[in-house]
Amino acid sequence: MSVIQIGAFIHGRQVLPKSAPLFESLNPATAEPIAQVLRGGAAEVDEAVQSAARAFASKEWRRMAAADRGRLLLKISEKIRAHADELARLESTDVGKPLAQAANDVRNAGRYFEYFGGLADKIHGDVIPVRWGVTDYTQREPYGVSAQIIPWNFPLAMGCRGIAPALAAGNCVVAKPAELASLSIVRLAELCKEAGLMDGVFNVVPGYGAEAGAALTRHKLVSHITFTGSVRTGTDVMQAAAVGARPVVLELGGKSPTVVFDDADLDRAADMIVQSLRVNAGQTCNACTRLLAHDTIADALLARVRERFERLRMADPLTNPDLGPMISDPQRQKLRGYLDQAGKDGARITMHGQGPDDSRLARGYFQRVAVIEGLPHAHPAYQEEIFGPVLSVARFRELEEAVALANDSKYGLVASVWTRDVARSMEMIQRLEAGQVYVNGWGTGGSVEVPFGGYKQSGLGREKGIDGLLHYTQIKSVSIYYG
Ligand code: NAI
Ligand code: MG
């Protein structure tokens, strides 16, 4: 792929001034640049937010019938589908994810616009009976300019997870993609315009978090902020949002437990653990990164897990290998730092899978899978989000111990339970501190309909589903006196 130049997308066109500062976007499989991207700052952010605010105030947008807004979103969904191959190759090359996974993300992106497009004309309030002579009712209204701070692990899918419901509810959007992978979101903005979306309704400003990101979250005309990323940056975003008392939706990752009891189907559990750490090279918020195994089956389960990890082959993401590279060298160094510390502190660490044998990929950020055992559960390798192909293992004997270990985390995103005993699974469901609990499985197959979000420091608010949509609306209560 030749190096392309990518600008911001503001008021319906690409903006790339001749003298503008640029940064490189790399292909993580080769460490070679694939694009030079505008390093947006306060000026571009201001232009984009002003454009979104004008579009929001325009009669054309404000008075558009909800059904027409929904139809526009369905057209965007069709556009995404029509460009699925192109978008999947772009995402695969920019993020380093195997092509089939990128294609799956693109399908998901299309589904968000389809699902929320279908909901656009079903956002309504209630009539509340209070007393004779007064009619009280509620209506749900958009906030205005929605800021979307997007991470690099699923740029297109997570971008659409927030952009589609924001638009469905009638907001206008300014998105800031992550500096490590911004290409697909800028392309999405072009496709939205081709689908007929009015200029200014959806704008994109690429750039660094501390520059474009901070300028966006601080902008006075932004009235709602959606963020996915680290707890640390999420906390900064929430502090920025506190000025002006603006609402936030935060999705901040996890350290998710997989609790496997002695009566579980070990083959299926092993399949799902390996699958969850293979997707996006373990750089997913809901990966099963903590395995809590019953003492009597732990060895048998780990043998199955190791055997599956061992079979994973790494290669150029476009050839659709089992495992792609990590996103960047700093992310890989962060992971290796955790492994080094765990090793020094006495962990048993085994490494699995086969790196690429293609010399073109020698500088890529590939990383073999690690299994860590034998440390106290308070160790950072068991407590912190490493964000890569690393599985930390602990053992338990009693249900009480499993519950205590599973909940011994500042995070609470997902948890999975493996047992054939219904009463035991029901007890675990009640006691696990997590926004999502999976029983004898993992994930929801990428469904856009099921609310997703975190307990504890894993986040605030929900995305996906009707609950996700309602976060992009505020309630106006109306009382009409006629008596
Ligand atoms: P990050 O949280 O700093 O970045 C996420 C997004 O926030 C990017 O678009 C970034 O440009 C933007 N950002 C950064 N600083 C900002 C600021 N001050 N104001 C507004 N926006 C800002 O995460 P980073 O550095 O990319 O990765 C570090 C760790 O974060 C990972 O190792 C992982 O643990 C976690 N993470 C979790 C994700 C998830 O899906 N929950 C996604 C990405 C990262
Ligand atoms: Mg990249």
Side-chain angles (χ1 to χ4, degrees):
M1 203 184 258
S2 57
V3 176
I4 46 177
Q5 288 207 333
I6 304 287
F9 194 89
I10 301 174
H11 208 71
R13 61 186 190 91
Q14 274 234 30
V15 178
L16 187 57
K18 273 207 172 62
S19 57
L22 299 168
F23 65 93
E24 284 183 335
S25 198
L26 304 181
N27 175 350
T30 59
E32 280 165 3
I34 52 170
Q36 291 183 314
V37 183
L38 173 78
R39 182 171 159 184
E44 289 81 13
V45 165
D46 184 52
E47 208 186 317
V49 174
Q50 299 278 1
S51 164
R54 274 199 311 278
F56 184 70
S58 72
K59 283 186 184 161
E60 197 184 345
W61 183 250
R62 284 309 284 272
R63 297 189 179 177
M64 184 184 285
D68 290 336
R69 212 165 55 234
R71 237 173 253 130
L72 253 177
L73 266 63
L74 295 180
K75 281 193 189 139
I76 295 171
S77 170
E78 283 161 25
K79 267 282 168 203
I80 292 172
R81 258 182 222 131
H83 290 262
D85 292 342
E86 173 207 337
L87 288 167
R89 291 183 75 81
L90 192 64
E91 195 84 320
S92 172
T93 312
D94 204 9
V95 181
K97 63 174 77 197
L99 190 58
Q101 292 176 24
N104 201 38
D105 293 359
V106 176
R107 267 194 297 280
N108 240 302
R111 271 292 288 149
Y112 282 118
F113 277 94
E114 186 178 56
Y115 176 78
F116 288 112
L119 281 174
D121 56 359
K122 298 163 193 74
I123 303 170
H124 36 65
D126 299 308
V127 177
I128 302 153
V130 178
R131 61 182 182 276
W132 175 254
V134 188
T135 291
D136 298 85
Y137 70 92
T138 58
Q139 61 190 36
R140 288 190 174 267
E141 298 185 351
Y143 281 99
V145 179
S146 150
Q148 301 274 336
I149 310 278
I150 300 169
W152 44 261
N153 50 348
F154 296 85
L156 189 65
M158 284 189 183
C160 293
R161 181 173 83 179
I163 295 162
L167 296 178
N171 300 276
C172 293
V173 171
V174 177
K176 207 297 283 175
E179 47 273 51
L180 289 165
S182 5
L183 307 189
S184 58
I185 291 293
V186 179
R187 186 72 185 112
L188 173 72
E190 291 173 339
L191 294 176
C192 287
K193 173 159 175 120
E194 282 178 29
L197 195 66
M198 249 176 77
D199 291 349
V201 170
F202 172 36
N203 309 274
V204 182
V205 181
Y208 294 148
E211 298 171 3
L216 181 57
T217 55
R218 285 182 171 74
H219 200 293
K220 287 197 168 61
L221 294 180
V222 165
S223 36
H224 184 280
I225 304 173
T226 297
F227 170 84
T228 302
S230 61
V231 173
R232 192 173 150 190
T233 306
T235 307
D236 288 347
V237 167
M238 200 170 171
Q239 267 163 359
V243 179
R246 293 164 305 159
V248 290
V249 173
L250 304 175
E251 204 261 88
L252 307 178
K255 188 77 174 178
S256 298
T258 302
V259 183
V260 185
F261 285 94
D262 50 0
D263 62 342
D265 180 335
L266 300 187
D267 284 309
R268 284 198 50 196
D271 284 344
M272 291 318 278
I273 291 162
V274 171
Q275 172 65 3
S276 99
L277 283 164
R278 184 178 81 82
V279 171
N280 222 33
Q283 302 165 118
T284 61
C285 48
N286 59 347
C288 303
T289 46
R290 272 191 298 144
L291 171 59
L292 310 177
H294 192 271
D295 209 28
T296 55
I297 49 89
D299 289 330
L301 175 61
L302 276 169
R304 286 165 169 80
V305 168
R306 287 203 170 90
E307 183 220 327
R308 285 161 174 77
F309 277 150
E310 204 51 55
R311 288 203 298 262
L312 298 180
R313 297 283 171 275
M314 293 175 237
D316 184 338
L318 288 175
T319 67
N320 204 27
D322 303 315
L323 195 63
M326 294 184 66
I327 188 78
S328 69
D329 197 43
Q331 282 294 317
R332 189 173 60 173
Q333 290 308 331
K334 173 184 158 188
L335 178 151
R336 290 180 176 173
Y338 279 105
L339 292 187
D340 287 349
Q341 191 59 50
K344 279 183 199 140
D345 295 338
R348 290 189 303 286
I349 303 177
T350 55
M351 303 297 298
H352 308 277
Q354 211 168 81
D357 58 5
D358 180 343
S359 61
R360 271 186 332 116
L361 307 179
R363 294 178 54 225
Y365 313 125
F366 292 90
Q367 171 64 42
R368 299 179 73 207
V369 183
V371 178
I372 302 180
E373 278 188 275
L375 290 175
H377 200 259
H379 194 276
Y382 285 68
Q383 292 291 330
E384 289 168 22
E385 184 174 58
I386 299 176
F387 225 56
V390 178
L391 179 68
S392 305
V393 184
R395 298 172 186 233
F396 68 90
R397 286 180 172 281
E398 304 295 333
L399 181 141
E400 287 304 323
E401 199 186 349
V403 170
L405 284 171
N407 291 338
D408 175 26
S409 174
K410 69 179 179 190
Y411 290 107
L413 193 57
V414 317
S416 77
V417 181
W418 295 79
T419 177
R420 290 181 169 101
D421 183 326
V422 176
R424 185 145 69 181
S425 64
M426 291 307 293
E427 166 130 30
M428 292 301 288
I429 292 168
Q430 304 312 316
R431 297 181 65 186
L432 285 168
E433 297 163 354
Q436 290 57 229
V437 177
Y438 310 126
V439 178
N440 295 326
W442 173 74
T444 56
S447 70
V448 304
E449 305 89 338
V450 183
F452 182 85
Y455 277 26
K456 301 196 268 187
Q457 290 186 40
S458 285
L460 203 59
R462 290 294 177 272
E463 306 204 72
K464 303 186 174 188
I466 294 172
D467 295 277
L469 175 69
L470 294 183
H471 284 300
Y472 291 97
T473 69
Q474 51 190 339
I475 294 178
K476 180 178 281 174
S477 297
V478 181
S479 303
I480 301 171
Y481 291 80
Y482 61 85

